[in-house]
Structures are given as C-alpha cells and as structure tokens.
Amino acid sequence: DVPFGSEDTPSVEAMASYDELAPPSYEDTVTFDAAPAEEETSLADPEPVKEAEPEMQGADATEVKTSERSSNFEITVSDPMKQPEKDSLIGSTFVSYKIESRTTLPEYKRKELVVRRRFKEFVALADRLRKSHRGYFIPPRPDKNVVEGKLHSTEFIEVRRVALQKYLQKLGKHPVLSRSRELQLFLEWEGDISSCGEWKEM
C-alpha cells in the first residue's frame, strides 16, 4: 500500500493545474446567441410627432431669398441713349443709361427715382464708395473692357447695360452701401451729377 501523500498521489495544486490544461468540454465550446433584451417601455405619454413642413426647392427657394434681400430696393437700367459730348470740337458722343429705382429706405426723400448716368459716373461712384467705406466688401464695378471702334456697337451697349444693372442691384442689396450718401446722390440727383457740389467734395 502506498501511503497517502506519496509522490504517486497528485497533490491539490497538481490537480488544479491539470484542470487548467485540460481541453474545454463540448458544452463550454458551443455558444448560443443571447435573446435580445426587451426595450424598456416608457410609462410617460409619447410626445406628438410634428409634421415637417415641406421645404421649397429650386427656383421657389431662390426667389424667396432674393426677394428678402432686395426688399428695400428695385433698380433697373434701361434705354441706352447716345448723347453729344459738351464742348466737343469733333462731335464726340457718349452713351447714357436710364436708371429707375424704387426704395423703402428712409434715407431717400422720394421712393421712386429716375435719372440718367453715363459710364464714367458709375466709375466715379465706385471710387467714392471705395474711399468712404474702407474695410467693407465693395462689389466690383464693370470694367471698361472696350475695343476702340466697338464702344457704340449695339451688342456692346447691351452687354454693358446688363452689367451696370447687376452692379447697382448688388449695391442696393448691401446692408451698408445701400444707405450710403454716395449711392443716394447717384440715384437721386437729377441732371448732370458732376454739377452737384456735395458730389464734388466726396
């Protein structure tokens, strides 16, 4: 008989290590997907779902945004007209454009304005705005970009008319420039604006 506790009898530590090294049983290796936990149900009354308002897309949305920005001003440039230069010995002419404006701004004495301006007066307006509103974004005025001999062509005059109209419309939508004294004189002063004393001093 081998006495208990001899070398042939595995100790408790040896048995524990054997259990660790023994391969897992079949039951341990087979896994099952756990059943999804049931969602907790809230006892509080569910909040009513608000129906989303349909969003305007495309041209409709663009039209609304444009009307919001241009609600204080409506400006059109039309009716280009050739006129003779003053004191010209060779019969030079220039083209003037009819500017019609409607505004609700309180800075303007009249709400409907009609004047005629030539291109160099647009240039003078841009120079004055750039001088008096440093640090602000000033919409660029149309460039001269004219080839000699094309100045009075119908096609060129129409292209310039459209560009000048877009330029004034951008000024009219500007929250600061639309209220500027420079633009107000440009749109209100009847006749030759170069004869306006306040304009000269700007």
Side-chain angles (χ1 to χ4, degrees):
D1 295 335
V2 179
F4 181 78
S6 65
E7 294 181 357
D8 295 337
T9 302
S11 63
V12 175
E13 292 81 6
M15 293 177 66
S17 62
Y18 173 79
D19 291 339
E20 294 176 357
L21 297 176
S25 65
Y26 174 78
E27 294 179 354
D28 294 334
T29 58
V30 177
T31 58
F32 298 92
D33 294 334
E38 296 182 359
E39 296 183 356
E40 297 181 357
T41 57
S42 174
L43 298 179
D45 295 335
E47 296 183 359
V49 179
K50 297 181 179 180
E51 296 184 0
E53 297 181 359
E55 296 183 358
M56 289 182 293
Q57 298 179 354
D60 293 337
T62 302
E63 183 177 354
V64 170
K65 291 180 180 179
T66 302
S67 62
E68 290 177 354
R69 289 182 300 175
S70 59
S71 58
N72 290 330
F73 248 119
E74 293 180 10
I75 303 177
T76 59
V77 178
S78 63
D79 190 23
M81 179 186 299
K82 293 182 181 180
Q83 297 180 248
E85 288 278 10
K86 294 181 180 179
D87 304 325
S88 174
L89 300 178
I90 58 175
S92 299
T93 61
F94 66 91
V95 177
S96 67
Y97 300 85
K98 181 181 180 181
I99 304 173
E100 297 178 274
S101 309
R102 291 184 180 181
T103 182
T104 58
L105 293 177
E107 288 83 356
Y108 289 78
K109 298 176 182 178
R110 291 176 287 118
K111 303 310 176 185
E112 295 187 7
L113 314 166
V114 181
V115 295
R116 296 198 73 90
R117 297 286 180 258
R118 58 188 298 182
F119 181 76
K120 75 174 187 178
E121 292 167 344
F122 282 85
V123 175
L125 170 63
D127 292 342
R128 284 162 171 75
L129 290 174
R130 188 166 51 249
K131 178 182 177 181
S132 62
H133 292 78
R134 298 182 186 277
Y136 287 92
F137 171 74
I138 310 295
R141 66 164 176 80
D143 292 331
K144 192 171 183 179
N145 288 338
V146 57
V147 179
E148 191 66 28
K150 300 273 186 173
L151 180 60
H152 297 311
S153 68
T154 303
E155 181 180 359
F156 174 79
I157 291 174
E158 176 59 18
V159 170
R160 173 169 282 183
R161 181 198 67 77
V162 173
L164 293 175
Q165 177 172 283
K166 290 181 178 179
Y167 171 66
L168 289 182
Q169 289 174 345
K170 289 179 181 179
L171 295 181
K173 293 174 185 177
H174 196 286
V176 176
L177 301 180
S178 61
R179 299 174 180 268
S180 67
R181 183 60 178 162
E182 291 81 5
L183 182 61
Q184 182 182 354
L185 282 177
F186 184 84
L187 297 177
E188 277 190 338
W189 185 267
E190 297 179 351
D192 186 0
I193 196 171
S194 62
S195 63
C196 174
E198 185 178 357
W199 180 262
K200 292 178 181 179
E201 295 175 0
M202 288 179 171

